[in-house]
Amino acid sequence: MNPSEMRIDQLKNTIAAKVRHPFLAKYIADPIIDEDKLAILISIMDHTTLPALKKESYIVTTMLVQIALDTHDLVTLSDEEDEHETVRTRQLTVLAGDYYSGLYYYVLSQLNDIPMVRTLAGAIKEINELKMDLYYKDVESFQEFFTSLKKIESLLIQRVANYVQKTTINDMAGEWLFAKRLMEEKSSYEEGRFSPVIQLLINKPDTFETNSQLMFNLEQLIHNQISKIEMRVSQLPIHFNWLKSYIDSAIYHRFYKTHMAEEG
């Protein structure tokens, strides 16, 4: 295991320890820590001259924000006929998202870092506005819908990169995080699990005539995204070699290997 992989594991453990709450753990699943976003944040911070403690605090607090946003996305719309336990789980999920949000304020307050708080708070506001548009606004095209989704996936990390003035990998990060989300949604749908993005598109009757047409277009979009990412990765400076290897490996295992297995 190379040093960067060890740091991913160490930071995942640090974040997991911070978000672990004995009461919440009894009723809802542990939050998922997005390893790809963590890897990108590590690469961004590694190329700054910030003190080690501040680098770690920025990474941890950004991931706490991401976890809070992701947790709130798990909340389903209420139904009067819901079982009591479902309603309770939903309420606890909302509570968990709020709890994770509060943690990042606490961590940054220990650093007395008001500008970073403003950066993250601004990103949260923008992301929530984009989500509201995605969920409730009538989009005019497939492309418009996915342009909004791409912003939602990458905006937080890009805002942090802008704040520390290290934006070299912003474009590549945006393309990769978008492709990753598309692949996750497609896999969930094909395996019979809930896919919020595909469900949103199915519920927009003017977008596609059939579900098979939707899945075909989604597959084409994923193929195009992978081509874009491979080009972006190849153009990264040499000092991002670890991240280049990480993304190349992720593309192979999550895209090419999966397609080879399907075709085989």
Side-chain angles (χ1 to χ4, degrees):
M1 184 180 290
N2 68 40
S4 292
E5 288 173 333
M6 289 176 63
R7 285 186 65 202
I8 287 177
D9 286 343
Q10 289 166 356
L11 284 164
K12 282 180 74 174
N13 290 335
T14 298
I15 295 161
K18 286 188 181 296
V19 300
R20 192 170 294 121
H21 190 288
F23 176 75
L24 292 171
K26 287 181 182 179
Y27 300 101
I28 62 174
D30 290 336
I32 296 171
I33 300 169
D34 191 317
E35 191 172 296
D36 295 302
K37 290 179 180 177
L38 186 53
I40 292 167
L41 283 167
I42 289 171
S43 292
I44 290 168
M45 294 302 163
D46 276 353
H47 293 90
T48 70
T49 57
L50 294 169
L53 178 61
K54 185 162 278 196
K55 287 180 184 179
E56 180 170 320
S57 293
Y58 282 1
I59 292 169
V60 170
T61 51
T62 303
M63 291 305 299
L64 288 173
V65 170
Q66 187 64 60
I67 289 169
L69 290 165
D70 292 345
T71 301
H72 280 140
D73 282 349
L74 297 174
V75 180
T76 56
L77 296 176
S78 182
D79 190 310
E80 291 180 4
E81 297 180 359
D82 275 344
E83 293 293 332
H84 172 72
E85 196 59 34
T86 304
V87 174
R88 186 182 192 190
T89 301
R90 182 183 297 116
Q91 291 169 339
L92 286 169
T93 304
V94 174
L95 177 64
D98 293 342
Y99 170 66
Y100 304 144
S101 294
L103 285 174
Y104 95 83
Y105 283 109
Y106 172 70
V107 173
L108 283 180
S109 70
Q110 293 179 309
L111 285 177
N112 192 27
D113 201 326
I114 301 302
M116 185 59 165
V117 170
R118 286 201 192 101
T119 297
L120 294 174
I124 292 169
K125 178 176 179 290
E126 286 185 70
I127 290 168
N128 284 332
E129 287 172 351
L130 284 165
K131 285 180 179 178
M132 291 297 287
D133 284 346
L134 196 68
Y135 296 149
Y136 300 112
K137 181 182 173 184
D138 289 334
V139 293
E140 295 181 359
S141 67
F142 183 79
Q143 186 60 47
E144 183 187 346
F145 180 92
F146 283 110
T147 297
S148 294
L149 182 65
K150 182 178 178 181
K151 288 179 183 176
I152 289 168
E153 285 301 304
S154 57
L155 190 144
L156 178 63
I157 284 179
Q158 290 175 343
R159 287 288 181 273
V160 172
N162 291 345
Y163 178 72
V164 297
Q165 299 181 343
K166 294 294 174 183
T167 59
T168 306
I169 61 174
N170 266 5
D171 288 343
M172 186 282 298
E175 302 293 354
W176 170 241
L177 294 175
F178 178 47
K180 181 175 84 87
R181 178 67 185 271
L182 295 178
M183 289 187 284
E184 288 171 350
E185 295 287 335
K186 181 173 178 286
S187 176
S188 290
Y189 181 77
E190 290 175 340
E191 293 170 11
R193 292 179 283 116
F194 178 62
S195 165
V197 167
I198 292 177
Q199 194 60 49
L200 275 171
L201 286 168
I202 289 172
N203 291 340
K204 295 177 185 296
D206 297 332
T207 310
F208 291 99
E209 292 179 4
T210 64
N211 288 3
S212 60
Q213 184 189 9
L214 167 58
M215 297 309 293
F216 175 79
N217 282 43
L218 184 59
E219 180 68 20
Q220 291 299 111
L221 181 57
I222 291 170
H223 274 271
N224 292 339
Q225 278 301 120
I226 294 299
S227 297
K228 281 185 189 177
I229 296 156
E230 289 175 326
M231 183 183 71
R232 298 278 191 194
V233 168
S234 69
Q235 293 171 344
L236 287 177
I238 193 169
H239 50 273
F240 285 107
N241 270 356
W242 171 76
L243 184 62
K244 292 168 78 168
S245 296
Y246 178 94
I247 299 296
D248 283 340
S249 175
I251 290 171
Y252 171 73
H253 285 96
R254 298 181 213 176
F255 180 72
Y256 289 114
K257 196 173 181 181
T258 300
H259 280 72
M260 285 188 286
E262 288 173 354
E263 291 167 4

